[in-house]
Amino acid sequence: TGQTQSSLFGFFGRINYNWRDMLFISASIRREASTKFGSQSRWGNFPSVSIAWEMAETDFMKPASNVIKSLKPRLSYGVTGREPSSPYQSLATYSPRYQYFIDGEWVTGYAPSNNANPLLSWEKSVSYNIGIDFAMFNNRLNGSIEYFGRQQKDMLYFKPVAGSLGYTQIPMNVGTMTNRGLEIDLSYDIIKTRNISLSANANATFISNKIDKLHSDLNGKWINGSRIYEEGHSMYRLYLPEWAGVDEKTGEALYWINTFQEDADGNRMKDANGEDIITGREKTTAYTEAQKTENRVATDDLLPTVYGGFGLSLTAYGFDASIQCAYQLGGQVYDTGYQNFMHGFYTDAGENLHVDIRNVWTPNNTKTDVPRLDAQDRYANSTSTRWLTSSDYLSINNVTIGYTLPQNLVSRIGLTKLRVYFAGDNLALLAARKGLDPRKGYATSNAYTYTQIRTLSGGIQVSF
């Protein structure tokens, strides 16, 4: 068993102002200190401010009051802070690792478990948005349009280091990243009478991500396993061997590798920055070569261009029905599930296969993108750009149908309301491939995580 200790100390202040229910101002400030940081960077300041103006209440908007019921521009700015999840991250720590038998007794030896970083500081998230809320046409059209951004500064991360140091990672502030986007949210009453109402709603979010700056030790680029983080690019990129198809003559899996400019002695030539000069690309069956960092390629930004939802609601003479859907367009995802089901026979004999395996290469089927089935082919379905696919989807999240009995009937049995309904959740998902659920993640679709459960339910709602 062990024991840890940490403290968080701070001050907080807030001011709210309301002028004639037209102008709303709110401001706050937090100043906090955490013992999880070194003494040089323990304190952080986190201000916020927001302003909203209800223009529909002003005199110059009164002539349009029959059309515009609400018109509220607003803006906000705020800073929040995040500390490490574990204490002592800025200190050099030691942990018991080994036991030695000395003079007839076992003696515990200690080894470094964390390197000191007294400059480790708060990760700060700077958020801002500019938007406008509106209601028009006797409140039949409602909506908002908002431009937003969030910049994460001094992001906390554990940088991998050689295990020979006695520890495998160092806590540090690695850089700055920005998310920006536009969000549109609309609802409209298409029909609105005493007995019938039909309304529609839709929303869309456009978002982009960019790494602004990385720690100087990283020289503008950081390759961590199959991920690549590079200044000026999205953090949602993979760094993978590039798939080149199937050899029509042999059925073997092919991958792209670079060719390099060499001198007369066969040594690679360098450019002005000291980098190898690449002259082109060629295909190879040697996956171990394609897997090398020098031959892998960075994917495009995997983030979708737009995502959101839409729906309809209808009520008519006691009946009610609604449907809500969600969608995503313009991105890519690494389909680990499909990869696992296209494994061939090397290590997974006896496990299920995807139906696409029926298009496998044979001497009579040479024009295919599915390599031959050979127990000796170890890398036929290895990690590569082969498994990237569209992350577009359309899902039916909810359908509800109900009927509310007339008031004059239910009142006879001492009730104020009696409604019978049926509902279905997560009824359908249309994606690029059956079994793929792009909602599991922006970069990869985890094959070992269940998709959202489909449920059917019904019931009776009673009010007394």
Side-chain angles (χ1 to χ4, degrees), residues 333-355:
V333 67
Y334 189 92
D335 192 351
T336 57
Y338 185 62
Q339 179 185 10
N340 291 338
F341 283 118
M342 295 291 287
H343 55 71
F345 293 146
Y346 176 67
T347 59
D348 301 300
E351 294 190 5
N352 287 336
L353 295 169
H354 195 279
V355 293

Side-chain angles (χ1 to χ4, degrees), residues 341-374:
F341 283 118
M342 295 291 287
H343 55 71
F345 293 146
Y346 176 67
T347 59
D348 301 300
E351 294 190 5
N352 287 336
L353 295 169
H354 195 279
V355 293
D356 285 357
I357 210 74
R358 293 183 297 189
N359 195 33
V360 66
W361 181 95
T362 67
N364 298 321
N365 182 39
T366 60
K367 296 187 181 301
T368 177
D369 60 351
V370 182
R372 68 188 186 187
L373 292 181
D374 192 319

Side-chain angles (χ1 to χ4, degrees), residues 178-193:
T178 301
N179 291 299
R180 296 186 181 91
L182 179 69
E183 186 171 291
I184 302 172
D185 192 349
L186 299 171
S187 64
Y188 182 66
D189 293 330
I190 303 171
I191 301 174
K192 193 173 184 180
T193 66

Side-chain angles (χ1 to χ4, degrees), residues 244-246 254-257 281-286:
V246 176
L254 296 174
Y255 301 92
W256 289 102
I257 60 172
R281 302 274 279 172
E282 65 181 17
K283 297 179 181 180
T284 181
T285 59

Side-chain angles (χ1 to χ4, degrees), residues 52-70:
W53 180 26
E54 181 53 87
M55 296 178 61
E57 297 296 327
T58 58
D59 292 338
F60 68 86
M61 290 291 295
K62 292 297 183 181
S65 60
N66 59 330
V67 176
I68 301 175
K69 297 300 181 181
S70 176

Side-chain angles (χ1 to χ4, degrees), residues 298 322 444:
S322 66
T444 62

